[in-house]
């Protein structure tokens, strides 16, 4: 993932956004969750969509965005999770991700602001997409924009 640098423009009094990362592959989930924590987000983790739904039913967790793999074991896959979120928690944007390119067309109507996020992840693009979704969500709900704690991405190829 991309190198991280301090961001002087972050709002120090703003609570970090809560992202639910749903991924059955433990190593991938740990890498993504750690990266997003370094970006200043608060992270909740689920190993499958069923665990994610249980967390989403707990309203006091304050989940701001769901980032989920498509293909997972259990009674639901990522598409089913996205449908559940649309029906029961429509204020929460969903980003689906997959290493399989053919799932991209299926996700168009379920993913907020664009197509499925491909694996391997482009850290800069993922972070920017999360920021856009959270800004859009803040605008729809009339809440103050929720931002990550003071961290900004920098692509080492630009150095």
């Amino acid at each position: 993932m991309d190198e991280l640098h301090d961001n002087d423009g972050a709002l120090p009094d703003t609570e970090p956004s809560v992202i639910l990362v749903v991924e059955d592959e433990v190593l991938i989930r740990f890498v993504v969750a750690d990266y997003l924590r370094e970006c200043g987000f608060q992270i909740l983790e689920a190993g499958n969509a069923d665990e994610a739904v249980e967390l989403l039913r707990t309203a006091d967790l304050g989940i701001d965005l769901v980032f989920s793999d498509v293909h997972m074991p259990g009674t639901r896959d990522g598409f089913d999770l996205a449908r559940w979120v649309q029906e029961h928690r429509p204020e929460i944007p969903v980003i689906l991700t997959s290493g399989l390119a053919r799932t991209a067309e299926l996700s168009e109507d379920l993913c907020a602001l664009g197509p499925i996020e491909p694996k391997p992840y482009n850290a800069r693009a993922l972070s920017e997409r999360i920021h856009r979704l959270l800004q859009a969500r803040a605008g729809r709900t009339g809440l103050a924009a929720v931002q990550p704690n003071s961290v900004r991405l920098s692509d080492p190829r630009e150095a």
Side-chain angles (χ1 to χ4, degrees):
M1 297 238 158
D2 295 338
E3 185 178 332
L4 301 173
H5 295 284
D6 287 336
N7 179 1
D8 296 330
L11 301 173
D13 296 334
T14 305
E15 289 289 320
S17 298
V18 179
I19 299 175
L20 174 57
V21 175
V22 188
E23 170 65 62
D24 63 305
E25 303 233 7
V26 176
L27 293 177
I28 294 173
R29 187 172 72 239
F30 285 167
V31 168
V32 171
D34 285 347
Y35 172 74
L36 293 173
R37 279 186 190 98
E38 289 177 17
C39 289
F41 297 106
Q42 182 180 340
I43 303 301
L44 297 173
E45 298 179 35
N48 60 49
D50 296 318
E51 289 177 15
V53 167
E54 289 306 310
L55 290 171
L56 287 159
R57 285 185 172 143
T58 307
D60 63 341
L61 292 177
I63 296 170
D64 296 302
L65 184 137
V66 174
F67 179 72
S68 177
D69 189 18
V70 170
H71 301 283
M72 294 177 286
T75 61
R76 297 178 169 108
D77 63 12
F79 293 124
D80 294 328
L81 174 60
R83 285 184 197 98
W84 188 94
V85 172
Q86 278 185 337
E87 184 177 328
H88 299 279
R89 301 291 304 273
E91 75 281 6
I92 300 176
V94 176
I95 297 175
L96 292 177
T97 182
S98 177
L100 302 175
R102 75 181 191 96
T103 59
E105 299 98 36
L106 299 174
S107 70
E108 257 182 66
D109 61 333
L110 295 173
C111 285
L113 290 184
I116 203 161
E117 191 69 35
K119 289 181 185 177
Y121 307 114
N122 175 311
R124 176 181 288 278
L126 176 59
S127 178
E128 288 173 357
R129 186 170 178 192
I130 289 171
H131 285 282
R132 283 193 315 270
L133 285 169
L134 292 173
Q135 291 294 330
R137 179 178 187 255
R140 281 193 317 270
T141 61
L143 299 172
V146 183
Q147 301 205 4
N149 294 333
S150 58
V151 180
R152 178 183 81 213
L153 289 176
S154 174
D155 191 332
R157 294 169 291 194
E158 294 175 0

